[in-house]
Amino acid sequence: MKTVTVQDLVNRFSLEVLAGRTELHRVITKPKTHRPGLEFTGYFDFFSHAHVQVLGRKEITYLHKQTEEERNLRIGNVVKYHPPCFVVTHNQEGLKYLNKYCEEEGIPLLRTHESTSKFSDLMDNYLSKALAQEIAIHGVCVNVSGIGVILRGKSGVGKSETAHTLIRRGHRLVADDMVVLKKTSPETIIGTHNGKSKEFLALRSIGLINVSRLYGRRAFQDETRIVLDIELTKWQDNALNNDLELEQKFTDYLDVRIPHIEIQLQPGRDVAGLVEAAANNWYLKQQGYSAVEDFMKRLEDN
């Protein structure tokens, strides 16, 4: 199971440590943050205690208005579940009572100047990716007009060359050779690089190039949502038919089904153009348009 430590959060978001400095090694295993509003009122049936606890103005103002006895009870009931940490937003002050309990229970108490909504969004986004289940596959990942595409195929088939042509047409490289796939939700796969190969593309007969240096920063994108899996294969006579609509196939990555297309290669065939057509056609289908249905309707109308 992937984990993130409280220290990782402190470093990532430049958080101020108010209490529990010796416990920054505590691990976080759950994505998404939680605001313990109902829990401070005594309702614990659905308390997400394993999540990072965010205390915004509503929660802190509520605690400030309680008597010392009531406040001690409210806080004591929450800290006994030992959440990984508390983060106070808006640089709120007057937190001596929180410091006391967090020090006693060994729970890091952190503070940020960010607003509650912005910080929660940033933290949720970070944790969902950092804790995401992931695999690495051999291939190339590109973003074609905002659409994430994996190019797969045997070594030497032309994946990187196709990606290079797409980059020259204004599209973006995400990863070459080794593509890291992360499952950030039951329906979402994110494609990215492994860090070492960031911005690099290996071209046979040319060698290694840095696409950002060669074509500008817009030639590279750090990650993209994967919606198409395209396999490049060698040409086989009589293997392809001019059907109006091919049966949809899928590839499973981390139990997420991604539409799969096979494109056969032949000298003079515009493979990059076919990848563009496949990406744009997928987009139109998402908008509810079917070229086959449109064509058949025209035939019926005549």
Side-chain angles (χ1 to χ4, degrees):
M1 179 182 293
K2 298 180 67 176
T3 60
V4 172
T5 67
V6 177
Q7 182 69 65
D8 292 331
L9 302 187
V10 172
N11 297 340
R12 176 83 178 189
F13 297 98
S14 300
L15 301 176
E16 180 185 0
V17 181
L18 302 178
R21 188 174 294 276
T22 61
E23 300 298 320
L24 298 181
H25 61 274
R26 300 188 69 181
V27 298
I28 300 159
T29 59
K30 298 292 186 180
K32 304 294 183 182
T33 56
H34 177 72
R35 296 181 66 177
L38 287 174
E39 288 74 24
F40 281 136
T41 67
Y43 186 77
F44 293 91
D45 286 4
F46 301 98
F47 184 26
S48 303
H49 62 274
H51 296 245
V52 173
Q53 306 296 311
V54 176
L55 304 177
R57 283 175 172 163
K58 290 182 180 179
E59 291 79 17
I60 296 300
T61 299
Y62 172 79
L63 291 174
H64 282 349
K65 290 183 176 180
Q66 304 299 303
T67 64
E68 182 177 355
E69 181 180 356
E70 290 173 332
R71 189 163 52 226
N72 290 339
L73 175 63
R74 306 302 186 196
I75 298 172
N77 285 339
V78 171
V79 299
K80 71 180 181 182
Y81 286 90
H82 285 87
C85 64
F86 290 99
V87 182
V88 177
T89 61
H90 293 284
N91 264 347
Q92 296 178 89
E93 299 181 349
L95 308 173
K96 290 183 178 180
Y97 50 88
L98 271 176
N99 284 48
K100 172 179 176 294
Y101 273 96
C102 287
E103 285 291 357
E104 290 177 355
E105 297 294 333
I107 303 172
L109 176 62
L110 316 172
R111 183 162 61 184
T112 177
H113 68 278
E114 298 285 3
S115 67
T116 307
S117 58
K118 182 177 180 180
F119 177 77
S120 295
D121 288 344
L122 291 172
M123 181 66 75
D124 289 348
N125 185 55
Y126 168 71
L127 289 177
S128 66
K129 293 177 181 177
L131 297 175
Q133 183 182 0
E134 68 178 48
I135 58 172
I137 65 169
H138 177 67
V140 179
C141 182
V142 289
N143 182 282
V144 180
S145 299
I147 297 167
V149 178
I150 296 174
L151 300 178
R152 294 189 298 110
K154 293 183 178 179
S155 181
V157 77
K159 301 182 294 295
S160 297
E161 288 81 357
T162 300
H164 179 253
T165 303
L166 289 167
I167 292 167
R168 292 193 62 199
R169 293 182 180 183
H171 307 297
R172 298 178 177 181
L173 174 71
V174 176
D176 181 40
D177 188 44
M178 189 65 67
V179 181
V180 178
L181 301 179
K182 297 186 176 185
K183 183 179 181 180
T184 58
S185 81
E187 301 84 25
T188 305
I189 294 290
I190 297 294
T192 187
H193 51 82
N194 62 4
K196 298 178 181 179
S197 62
K198 179 180 179 180
E199 301 175 321
F200 289 115
L201 184 66
L203 299 173
R204 290 175 184 267
S205 303
I206 302 298
L208 200 64
I209 66 171
N210 185 310
V211 298
S212 294
R213 294 293 184 91
L214 202 59
Y215 298 112
R217 290 179 298 172
R218 297 188 66 181
F220 174 78
Q221 184 168 317
D222 199 58
E223 62 181 31
T224 187
R225 180 184 178 185
I226 302 299
V227 297
L228 274 181
D229 175 71
I230 297 180
E231 183 178 8
L232 305 182
T233 61
K234 293 184 178 180
W235 184 269
Q236 298 179 29
D237 290 336
N238 302 318
L240 297 177
N241 300 312
N242 287 326
D243 294 337
L244 291 180
E245 188 167 33
L246 299 175
E247 179 184 355
Q248 181 66 73
K249 297 180 180 180
F250 296 90
T251 303
D252 282 357
Y253 292 116
L254 299 171
D255 297 323
V256 178
R257 296 208 314 167
I258 303 296
H260 170 81
I261 296 174
E262 177 184 349
I263 295 179
Q264 292 193 8
L265 309 181
Q266 189 180 47
R269 200 168 197 219
D270 183 8
V271 180
L274 292 174
V275 172
E276 288 178 316
N280 291 328
N281 196 47
W282 174 89
Y283 176 79
L284 287 176
K285 287 182 178 178
Q286 305 312 301
Q287 304 304 307
Y289 175 79
S290 168
V292 174
E293 292 179 3
D294 191 1
F295 178 70
M296 297 303 295
K297 186 176 184 300
R298 295 185 187 186
L299 292 180
E300 294 173 359
D301 292 341
N302 291 332

